[in-house]
């Protein structure tokens, strides 16, 4: 049973400034509990805004360090979920449910990637 | 409603069904009090979805749609069929509240209770271990009959028969669809844990050449154990089992070499062990300890032993005295020759080969170990360490004759050769 990493990507410019509403947090909590109860969720977390992040880059044999926010990217990683599922279709179904708990004011996409084993 | 092309839609329907099916079957089984009929009604709901969703679109909450559809059919069936008349009294309460109950989302606690009832019913001791395993994988693990057959190297017809007979047995023996609370609760829970453990071991015993579905049984068992721990958070042995399986699975990648040959624990590359699963194992072991009111149970003890190996960054750092103590506790709780043999290995590492050989020699007449290749293999090892090379060689040869797979035979023959090259004692 492969593991899948769902990288949650949000557009920080259009995301509600006040962050997730209490109702969204409530719905999200219930869904995460459901995914855990299904024996699927291994680990999940949300990240602080990219303004508090730092990008460390390696190119041409040199390190460069850039403080956030990362305004040149339309979407930045805002969280992740590591799930163990029978197949990609199952990971996608849980991901759809995760996206649906957000209200229409949110624009969110999840990149679902299989973890390479071995 | 979500729109998507038809080919994807079939995948969506089937995936949603696979995710929801244990909960649907559990919820319906509470109404019809029969897991076989519950499974058929769940299948009916799947057919209805395959007919209606392409036309009307996928509902916003597809799981709830499937559950409601299956429950409506269940209630129709209960009302329609004569043979449920005598059970109506039992389910009358559900029927009276069925209307509003179906129109509002199910209470998660109700779903959990139903699932737990399904677990205890599928693992009921009136069924043989084989039947319990097949039924559990089918109803709770989401495996199809052909998948179960392939994973267990059994003909599909045999497994199908097994499942049919198991459902019939549950119906004819009037097995109550309930979670046991009473004097037999512990025995019933043991039966559930044993089923999950057996599924895991079947996957663990699979070799590299086997169909991938066989090793995947480890993950199926792990998922079942994780689900059970969520359903029964106060049962220490459930957490103990989760801990044991998480820790065993954390070493899965290190157990075989590049060409599929088995790699002994001492030779494994510990950097390849899965740290996430090790961390989960420790967490589960902590929960087992916190939930226990008395001495740790057999699963928690085995998990504690696995944790000793996980804690050691190198083989040399292994805390053998602690492992020997844990095996002694395990032997006191669940005496068995195999546990005693494992204790001997731990004692040999903690105190040396001589006291371990005494334990092993006491096992020589044990009928349960007569054909168990690990007894002469361990004995050969101890004799070798004591410098009794010729005797060691004889033991390794005997072990090679008893080993079940070719790779182990080859390994033991090589050890016999090596021992023979030593000085005669």
């Amino acid at each position: 049973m492969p593991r899948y990493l769902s990288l949650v990507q949000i557009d920080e410019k259009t995301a509600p400034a006040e962050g997730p509403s209490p109702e969204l947090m409530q719905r999200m909590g219930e869904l995460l509990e459901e995914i855990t109860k299904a024996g699927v969720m291994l680990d999940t977390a949300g990240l602080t805004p990219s303004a508090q992040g730092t990008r460390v880059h390696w190119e041409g044999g040199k390190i460069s360090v850039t403080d956030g926010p990362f305004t040149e990217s339309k979407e930045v990683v805002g969280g992740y979920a590591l799930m163990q599922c029978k197949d990609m279709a199952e990971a996608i179904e849980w991901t759809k449910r995760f996206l649906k708990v957000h209200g229409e004011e949110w624009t969110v996409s999840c990149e679902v990637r299989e973890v390479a084993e071995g | 409603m979500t729109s998507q092309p038809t080919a994807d839609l079939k995948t969506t329907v089937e995936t949603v069904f696979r995710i929801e099916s244990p909960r649907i079957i559990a919820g319906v089984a509470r109404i019809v009090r029969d897991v076989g009929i519950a499974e058929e009604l769940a299948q009916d709901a799947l057919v209805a979805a395959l007919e209606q969703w392409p036309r009307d679109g996928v509902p916003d909450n597809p799981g709830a749609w499937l559950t409601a559809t299956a429950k409506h059919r269940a209630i129709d069936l209960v009302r329609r069929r004569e043979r449920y008349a005598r059970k109506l009294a039992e389910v009358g309460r559900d029927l009276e509240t069925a209307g509003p109950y179906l129109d509002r989302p199910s209470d998660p606690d109700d779903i959990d209770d139903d699932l737990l009832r399904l677990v205890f019913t599928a693992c009921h001791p009136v069924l043989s271990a084989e039947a319990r395993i097949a039924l559990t994988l089918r109803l709770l693990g989401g495996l199809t009959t052909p998948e179960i057959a392939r994973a267990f190297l059994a003909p599909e017809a045999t497994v199908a028969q097994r499942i049919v007979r198991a459902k019939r047995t549950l119906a004819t023996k009037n097995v109550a669809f309930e979670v046991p609370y009473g004097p037999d609760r512990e025995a019933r829970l043991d039966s559930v844990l044993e089923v999950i453990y057996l599924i895991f071991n079947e996957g663990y015993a699979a070799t590299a050449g086997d169909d991938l579905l066989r090793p995947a049984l480890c993950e199926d068992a792990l998922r079942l154990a994780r689900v059970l721990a969520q359903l029964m958070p106060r049962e220490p042995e459930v957490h103990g089992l989760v801990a044991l399986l998480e820790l065993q699975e954390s070493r899965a990648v290190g157990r075989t070499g590049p060409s599929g040959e088995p790699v002994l624990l001492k030779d494994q590359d510990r950097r390849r062990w899965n740290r996430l699963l090790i961390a989960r194992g420790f967490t589960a072991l902590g929960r087992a300890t916190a939930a226990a009111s008395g001495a740790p149970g057999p699963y928690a003890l085995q998990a504690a032993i696995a944790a000793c190996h996980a804690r050691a960054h190198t083989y040399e750092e292994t805390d053998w005295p602690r492992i020997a103590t844990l095996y002694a506790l395990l032997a006191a709780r669940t005496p068995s020759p195999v546990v005693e043999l494992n204790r001997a290995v731990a004692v040999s590492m903690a105190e040396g080969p001589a006291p371990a050989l005494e334990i092993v020699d006491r096992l020589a007449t044990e009928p349960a170990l007569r054909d168990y290749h690990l007894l002469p293999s361990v004995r050969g090892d101890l004799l070798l360490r004591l410098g009794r090379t010729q005797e060691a060689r004889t033991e390794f040869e005997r072990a090679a004759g008893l080993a079940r797979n070719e790779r182990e035979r080859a390994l033991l023959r090589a050890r016999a050769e090596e021992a023979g090259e030593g000085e005669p004692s």
Side-chain angles (χ1 to χ4, degrees), chain A residues 1-3 33-34 36-43 82 84-87 89-91 93-94 96-97 100 117-118, chain B residues 2 4 11-12 15-16 18-20 23 59-60 62-63 112 141 143 219-220 223 226-227 230 253 272 274 276 280:
Chain A
M1 220 186 289
R3 288 177 297 153
E33 187 180 355
E34 187 186 340
T36 306
K37 277 184 170 167
V40 167
M41 186 68 84
L42 297 177
D43 189 25
L82 183 63
Q84 187 147 27
C85 302
K86 300 245 180 203
D87 54 24
E90 195 179 296
E93 176 58 33
W94 286 115
K96 282 180 187 170
R97 294 182 189 190
K100 280 180 183 171
E117 297 293 350
Chain B
T2 312
Q4 51 182 301
T11 308
T12 299
T15 304
V16 170
R18 203 176 54 197
I19 288 174
E20 300 296 335
R23 290 187 284 189
D60 281 336
D112 289 354
L143 273 74
E219 285 154 345
D220 290 313
R223 186 193 274 203
R226 287 168 181 162
V227 170
Q230 294 287 327
V253 284
R272 295 181 67 205
N274 187 311
L276 174 70
R280 291 179 62 91

Side-chain angles (χ1 to χ4, degrees), chain B residues 159-199:
Chain B
V159 174
Q161 257 309 314
R162 202 175 283 164
I163 291 171
V164 169
R165 268 203 303 269
K167 289 176 189 165
R168 199 182 301 138
T169 303
L170 290 172
T172 53
K173 302 238 174 187
N174 269 325
V175 169
F177 188 70
E178 63 180 16
V179 177
Y181 290 101
D184 65 343
R185 180 181 165 92
E186 196 165 333
R188 294 283 307 276
L189 179 59
D190 280 348
S191 172
V192 172
L193 297 175
E194 183 195 37
V195 166
I196 297 175
Y197 188 63
L198 288 171
I199 293 170

Side-chain angles (χ1 to χ4, degrees), chain B residues 256-376:
Chain B
T256 46
S259 56
E261 74 282 10
V263 182
L264 297 173
L265 184 66
K266 69 176 170 55
D267 301 325
Q268 288 181 19
D269 179 354
R270 294 178 178 230
R271 290 167 308 182
R272 295 181 67 205
W273 290 358
N274 187 311
R275 307 311 306 178
L276 174 70
L277 294 181
I278 289 174
R280 291 179 62 91
F282 285 148
T283 304
L285 190 53
R287 288 193 181 125
T289 310
S293 50
Y299 289 110
L301 285 169
Q302 290 175 80
I305 292 164
C308 288
H309 293 301
R311 249 182 236 111
H313 290 293
T314 60
Y315 183 72
E316 291 67 32
E317 283 175 56
T318 310
D319 186 348
W320 290 108
R322 183 172 160 74
I323 293 176
T325 305
L326 289 165
Y327 270 121
L329 289 171
L330 187 61
R333 271 300 294 263
T334 50
S336 97
V338 174
V339 170
E340 205 53 13
L341 185 61
N342 282 318
R343 186 171 79 85
V345 174
V347 166
S348 83
M349 300 303 293
E351 302 168 30
L357 190 61
E358 285 174 33
I359 301 172
V360 169
D361 286 345
R362 281 200 295 274
L363 293 171
T365 54
E366 197 55 67
L369 298 183
R370 209 184 49 200
D371 300 324
Y372 192 52
H373 67 285
L374 288 179
L375 180 61

Side-chain angles (χ1 to χ4, degrees), chain B residues 65-404:
Chain B
W65 189 99
L66 285 166
T67 303
T69 303
K71 280 187 174 174
H72 277 301
R73 284 166 194 243
I75 288 161
D76 288 346
L77 183 77
V78 170
R79 286 186 176 141
R80 215 170 43 229
R81 285 195 182 177
E82 280 286 318
R83 63 192 170 96
Y84 281 101
R86 63 193 165 75
K87 294 202 175 186
L88 270 177
E90 293 171 35
V91 296
R93 190 181 48 81
D94 292 333
L95 292 182
E96 281 158 27
T97 57
Y101 176 77
L102 285 178
D103 295 337
R104 64 164 193 265
S106 301
D107 181 338
D109 290 344
D110 288 344
I111 297 173
D112 289 354
D113 291 346
D114 289 345
L115 258 185
L116 205 48
R117 290 187 186 104
L118 184 59
V119 170
F120 275 100
T121 306
C123 298
H124 199 285
V126 319
L127 305 171
S128 69
E130 283 176 334
R132 279 182 254 159
I133 286 169
L135 206 54
T136 300
L137 284 172
R138 168 78 174 256
L139 299 179
L140 292 147
L143 273 74
T144 61
T145 303
E147 284 173 339
I148 298 168
R150 268 171 53 195
F152 281 83
L153 310 173
E156 203 177 306
T158 308
V159 174
Q161 257 309 314
R162 202 175 283 164
I163 291 171
V164 169
R165 268 203 303 269
K167 289 176 189 165
R168 199 182 301 138
T169 303
L170 290 172
T172 53
K173 302 238 174 187
N174 269 325
V175 169
F177 188 70
E178 63 180 16
V179 177
Y181 290 101
D184 65 343
R185 180 181 165 92
E186 196 165 333
R188 294 283 307 276
L189 179 59
D190 280 348
S191 172
V192 172
L193 297 175
E194 183 195 37
V195 166
I196 297 175
Y197 188 63
L198 288 171
I199 293 170
F200 185 89
N201 276 337
E202 188 70 28
Y204 202 75
T207 55
D210 276 331
D211 189 323
L212 281 176
L213 272 171
R214 275 177 62 65
L217 285 172
C218 288
E219 285 154 345
D220 290 313
L222 195 43
R223 186 193 274 203
L224 288 168
R226 287 168 181 162
V227 170
L228 193 63
Q230 294 287 327
L231 294 172
M232 307 183 89
R234 284 196 286 279
E235 288 290 349
E237 277 293 83
V238 176
H239 294 298
L241 177 67
V242 172
L244 175 63
L245 302 192
E246 298 271 14
L247 290 166
Q248 292 274 42
E249 188 64 10
S250 75
R251 301 203 292 263
V253 284
R255 287 176 63 227
T256 46
S259 56
E261 74 282 10
V263 182
L264 297 173
L265 184 66
K266 69 176 170 55
D267 301 325
Q268 288 181 19
D269 179 354
R270 294 178 178 230
R271 290 167 308 182
R272 295 181 67 205
W273 290 358
N274 187 311
R275 307 311 306 178
L276 174 70
L277 294 181
I278 289 174
R280 291 179 62 91
F282 285 148
T283 304
L285 190 53
R287 288 193 181 125
T289 310
S293 50
Y299 289 110
L301 285 169
Q302 290 175 80
I305 292 164
C308 288
H309 293 301
R311 249 182 236 111
H313 290 293
T314 60
Y315 183 72
E316 291 67 32
E317 283 175 56
T318 310
D319 186 348
W320 290 108
R322 183 172 160 74
I323 293 176
T325 305
L326 289 165
Y327 270 121
L329 289 171
L330 187 61
R333 271 300 294 263
T334 50
S336 97
V338 174
V339 170
E340 205 53 13
L341 185 61
N342 282 318
R343 186 171 79 85
V345 174
V347 166
S348 83
M349 300 303 293
E351 302 168 30
L357 190 61
E358 285 174 33
I359 301 172
V360 169
D361 286 345
R362 281 200 295 274
L363 293 171
T365 54
E366 197 55 67
L369 298 183
R370 209 184 49 200
D371 300 324
Y372 192 52
H373 67 285
L374 288 179
L375 180 61
S377 162
V378 167
R379 193 160 187 273
D381 213 36
L382 298 172
L383 290 165
L384 196 62
R385 284 167 61 190
L386 290 163
R388 293 157 63 177
T389 51
Q390 287 309 314
E391 291 168 89
R393 179 182 183 153
T394 310
E395 290 292 340
F396 287 134
E397 280 166 355
R398 181 178 305 162
L402 292 171
R404 275 160 316 176

